[in-house]
Structures are given as structure tokens and as C-alpha cells.
Amino acid sequence: MAACGDEAALAPGGDTTIEDRTSQAYRLPAPNLDADALALHLDGDVAFEATFVTAPAPVNGGLGPVYNHTSCIGCHARDGRGLPQIGTGPTSQSLVRVSLAEGTPAVPGGAVPVPGVGAQLQDHAIFGAALEGTPTLSWTDVDGAYGDGAAYQLRAPQLAIAWSEEPEGAVMTSLRQPPPVFGLGLLEAIDEPTLTALADPDDRDGDGISGRVNYVWDAQLGRAMPGRFGLKANTPTLRQQAAAAYVNDMGVTNPMFPEDDGAIEIDAARLDATAFYTATLAVPARAAANAAANRGEQLFDQFRCTGCHVPTLVTGDSPIAAVAHQTIQPFTDLLVHDMGDGLADGRPDFGADGREWRTSPLWGIGLAETVLVGARYLHDGRARTLDEAILWHGGEAEAARERFRRASSSDRAALVAFLMTL
Ligand code: HEC
Ligand code: HEC
């Protein structure tokens, strides 16, 4: 791993890195954008922050009839993560994906939609429209102990859905908290051979860590492509992620996902600007490390956290010059891994099964609580602290978690101190 003071290590986004560790750190344009790219980025910023209202408003009309929130930024707070809050209120930021175990998928290899609901529960409706259902979230305590005997308590989510109309067939559910949206153009520019080289589906090297590319349906190309975005790497491109968010999260039809009769509520220019915005947000520079954080960085390697949270990758070609050919430190392999029973949602998403999740990028994670007071971790926001996030790791990550759980309290603190410099 890079030694302390190494410039590449301190600039995790390559030339897109920005020296800012304030609450604004996730929402700044990459400093290496040229004037045209910056102008498009700023158009996208306006689009990302726009609040949609009920039709027929001329500019931001088209909300609903059912939706989860009224703006991108409403869920991705300051372009970071959202909170594990769901239901009819205005603070609802997470969402529930739903599907049936049997039936015909909406697209090849995808989820089987729940009749009348689709593959996502929209828990809001405009005036006069029928609500699909109301989810409620509660938490149960899970007790555990570190190797040195010190007790800890985790919490597991309990999701219940009061359907407006009870669906036929057993519904599989997956609760998802919004992840941050900076640095994503770099992740889009990692070429497919790099991902397949990281994958080890049959664990040939025998380290207990496999990792698979999740091949998902690309709506633009009309074929399966490597998934990169979403918590199960269930989406291939930022354009598709934005288009799906418009239509599913806000009920705003667009060129990729129009009305049945072809009608759209936002045009291609606006969709493209939104996607470009999420592709060109700067990555915050790492904080200077003290002795504990340097020790933590060594432990991160020794515990084999790096088996999935791969520190250094190099991006390939990209239509966006600012993100092409950059040496970056995202701390992810973009692959999906079996994370054990504790984290399993039991709901497949394309090639990812009910136990698999995409390795979360860890860049910027030390700023999560600076950007959003009360920020939570893991796909459903169950972890209140970084310690808790690590303690939930199971499956392919069980050995790494055990090394952490059995470590001395000072080594555990050092590992977390390292994460806080990211
Ligand atoms: C209701 C809250 C909500 C709204 C509104 C919302 N998102 Fe998201 N976003 C999420 C959640 C939850 C995920 C994770 C989805 C998954 O795993 O399937 C996500 C994932 C993403 C990702 C992938 C990030 C990554 O690391 O893979 C991007 C990019 C994104 N959203 C952009 C947008 C854009 C652009 C908009 C507005 C057009 C938007 N989102 C609106 C909740 C929201
Ligand atoms: C087998 C692969 C694997 C290994 C090994 C692994 N992780 Fe993870 N990590 C993941 C995946 C996958 C997730 C997302 C899980 C989820 O959201 O349910 C994750 C999530 C996290 C998160 C939460 C990120 C967020 O944005 O909420 C932290 C922190 C983290 N890992 C730290 C570590 C540390 C520290 C180690 C070593 C002790 C480690 N991980 C080892 C795969 C791994």
C-alpha cells in the first residue's frame, strides 16, 4: 500500500481531487473540468437540485402520480448518503425494491415486477392518486462481544409494508439507503477487463473471497453489461441510473423511460446534464494521517479488507476527459460479494443473489457525518458507526471481520482512525 505522504494516496480522485473536508466536500465540481464541461456540470447541478411538482408546471412539472421524493438532492443529502427513513413524510430518503420470486422479468435477467407496483415501492402519491403502500421500519437489537470480552450492540431492520392492495404471491423486499454520488464518472471509466481481472468467481486463489461482476440489462444498448451503480451493482451507467431515478423515484418520464405512448416530462439534454453532474463531482482529498491512522492503514491491509475494498485502480478511456486515465483510490472492486446471512436481503437483482452486495467505495467515508449529521452505514443504514459496519460483515468477509473483532481495542480504534482519513 502507498506510504504516508504519498501524493497519489492523498489524491484519491486523481486530478478530480479537491482539497476540501467541509460539509460541502461531496458537492464540488472536479477541478480539472474545462469551461464547456463545467457549464454542463452546472446545468446538471440545477437539475439535481430541482424540486418537481405536480403537472402541468412548465419547468419542473410531472411529479408522480406515485413517487418516493421530489428531488435528487432530497435523498442524496449534499450529494452524499441519505438516511434510513421511509414512508409518507417529507424526510423519507430510503426506498424499498420489491419483486416476485416467480414470473416474467420486466427485462432479461431482471426482477419480476409486482403487479400494479413494479420493482420499487413508491410510498408517496400526488393528490388524488392511489398510494401503492406504506412501509414502516423498526429496529431490533443484536448483541455481540469483541474478542477481548467487551460487549457491543448492533441493530437489525424490520421492514413491514401495509399494501393498499394486497399483491398476489410472496413479495421479496430490499431496503436501500441512498449512497453518495461523487466520484462516479471515475468508476464508470474503469474498463471491463479491469473488473473481470478483479473477479474470482470460483475463488481460484483460495483466499475465501470470490467476487463477481453483476451483468445487468443496459436499456440503451439493449444487452447485458457490467453493473457498477446501485448497492448491488444493479445499473450499468450513470445515464441509466439518473433516468431510472427520474421515472421511479420521482415519477418523471424521460427519453430512456418514456410514457407508453412515448410522451416525456424531461428532455434528453436535462437527463444528460444530470448524469454528467454525477460523473464529474470532485473526490475529497484525504486528511493527513497521524500515527494511529498509519497503523490503521497497515491493519486494513493485514486484515485483508483490501481483498474487496481495493485501494488503487486506474481508469481507462472515457468520453469525459476529466475522468479518463486517472490513478484513483476508491477502495472498491465494484464486484458483488456474498456478505452472509446477517446482511442478506433474499432478493436477487440481475446476477447478484440475495446474499450479495457491491463493495462500497470507501473514499470520502470519513466525511459522512460531516456532510450529514446522523449519517448511517451499509445498504440499509443499519450501522450507526463504522465499527458497527465492520461487525456486520459476514460471508466472504467473515475472516476479515473476525480479524477486526479479535483485535485489541487500540488496533480497532486505529483501523477506524484510518477510515476517518478517507
Ligand atoms: C427516494 C430517494 C432517491 C431519489 C429521489 C434519488 N435517489 Fe439516487 N439513489 C437512491 C437509492 C436508495 C440508491 C441505491 C439504489 C439501489 O441500490 O438500487 C440510489 C443510487 C443512486 C446512484 C448510484 C450511486 C452509486 O454509488 O452506485 C446515483 C448515481 C443516483 N442515485 C443518482 C440520482 C439522481 C441523478 C437522482 C435524481 C434524478 C436520484 N438519484 C434520485 C435514492 C434516491
Ligand atoms: C468480501 C468483501 C469485503 C471485505 C473483505 C471487506 N468488506 Fe467492507 N464491504 C463490503 C461490501 C460488499 C459492503 C457493502 C455491504 C452492505 O451494504 O450491506 C461493505 C461495506 C463496508 C463499509 C460501509 C460502507 C458504507 O458506505 O456504508 C465499511 C466501513 C467497510 N465495508 C469497511 C471494511 C473493513 C474495515 C474491512 C476489513 C476489516 C472490510 N470492509 C472488509 C465488502 C467487503
Side-chain angles (χ1 to χ4, degrees):
M1 289 199 63
C4 118
D6 184 309
E7 291 219 357
L10 294 174
D15 296 338
T16 76
T17 307
I18 192 112
E19 235 10 276
D20 191 306
R21 293 194 57 91
T22 70
S23 62
Q24 308 303 310
Y26 296 165
R27 55 178 308 191
L28 300 168
N32 61 338
L33 298 179
D34 64 24
D36 287 348
L38 183 60
L40 185 55
H41 175 96
L42 295 175
D43 283 350
D45 193 355
V46 173
F48 196 84
E49 289 185 29
T51 298
F52 281 81
V53 295
T54 314
V59 183
N60 295 322
L63 179 70
V66 290
Y67 62 99
N68 293 94
H69 211 295
T70 53
S71 66
C72 307
I73 194 100
C75 289
H76 299 278
R78 293 198 181 108
D79 298 2
R81 58 190 68 216
L83 292 168
Q85 297 172 164
I86 48 171
T88 42
T91 58
S92 166
Q93 294 182 320
S94 289
L95 55 83
V96 182
R97 299 217 176 285
V98 294
S99 45
L100 298 181
E102 310 273 321
T104 312
V107 295
V112 178
V114 176
V117 176
Q120 176 172 329
L121 174 67
Q122 280 91 9
D123 51 15
H124 293 61
I126 63 169
F127 184 72
L131 201 60
E132 290 178 350
T134 304
T136 48
L137 185 55
S138 56
W139 303 95
T140 49
D141 294 335
V142 180
D143 292 316
Y146 292 106
D148 62 11
Y152 60 74
Q153 195 167 62
L154 308 177
R155 56 166 202 175
Q158 307 294 320
L159 181 69
I161 300 173
W163 298 97
S164 301
E165 215 169 310
E166 198 64 38
E168 274 178 48
V171 177
M172 300 181 289
T173 61
S174 182
L175 173 63
R176 306 212 184 164
Q177 165 180 286
V181 295
F182 66 85
L184 301 181
L186 297 162
L187 300 185
E188 194 165 46
I190 293 167
D191 58 26
E192 188 173 349
T194 303
L195 298 182
T196 47
L198 287 168
D200 182 15
D202 305 316
D203 192 19
R204 278 168 200 265
D205 65 6
D207 67 351
I209 298 178
S210 43
R212 303 191 299 137
V213 176
N214 185 9
Y215 287 95
V216 305
W217 190 249
D218 186 314
Q220 195 163 331
L221 299 178
R223 63 183 163 94
M225 291 294 286
R228 295 157 191 273
F229 304 109
L231 302 170
K232 282 193 188 255
N234 42 314
T235 305
T237 62
L238 291 172
R239 190 168 191 268
Q240 184 165 330
Q241 183 80 47
Y246 274 118
V247 77
N248 294 320
D249 302 358
M250 303 195 284
V252 175
T253 51
N254 58 73
M256 199 181 267
F257 300 113
E259 220 79 64
D260 288 343
D261 66 2
I264 52 172
E265 287 157 334
I266 59 160
D267 63 12
R270 182 135 170 211
L271 172 60
D272 291 346
T274 310
F276 189 83
Y277 176 70
T278 59
T280 50
L281 285 160
V283 177
R286 276 171 64 172
N290 59 15
N294 283 327
R295 163 101 184 120
E297 183 158 11
Q298 287 167 359
L299 294 171
F300 190 78
D301 197 21
Q302 277 171 28
F303 290 173
R304 298 289 301 130
C305 307
T306 47
C308 303
H309 297 284
V310 175
T312 305
L313 293 172
V314 180
T315 67
D317 295 334
S318 169
I320 304 172
V323 299
H325 309 294
Q326 297 291 321
T327 300
I328 61 171
Q329 296 228 303
F331 294 94
T332 178
D333 54 10
L334 292 182
L335 303 177
V336 292
H337 296 272
D338 181 332
M339 293 298 283
D341 288 333
L343 289 175
D345 64 353
R347 177 185 179 276
D349 209 336
F350 292 97
D353 69 24
R355 298 163 62 91
E356 288 175 315
W357 296 98
R358 177 191 69 172
T359 306
S360 312
L362 297 181
W363 52 13
I365 199 163
L367 291 169
E369 292 173 52
T370 304
V371 172
L372 176 68
V373 174
R376 301 292 185 237
Y377 305 97
L378 297 174
H379 65 269
D380 50 17
R382 68 177 68 193
R384 291 160 292 197
T385 61
L386 294 170
D387 277 89
E388 289 188 11
I390 301 166
L391 291 165
W392 272 111
H393 281 54
E396 294 171 37
E398 185 171 332
R401 179 207 65 213
E402 279 301 282
R403 289 178 201 115
F404 174 77
R405 195 184 64 83
R406 295 212 189 99
S408 67
S409 65
S410 67
D411 277 355
R412 296 194 311 262
L415 186 63
V416 171
F418 160 65
L419 294 175
M420 291 303 291
T421 67
L422 299 182

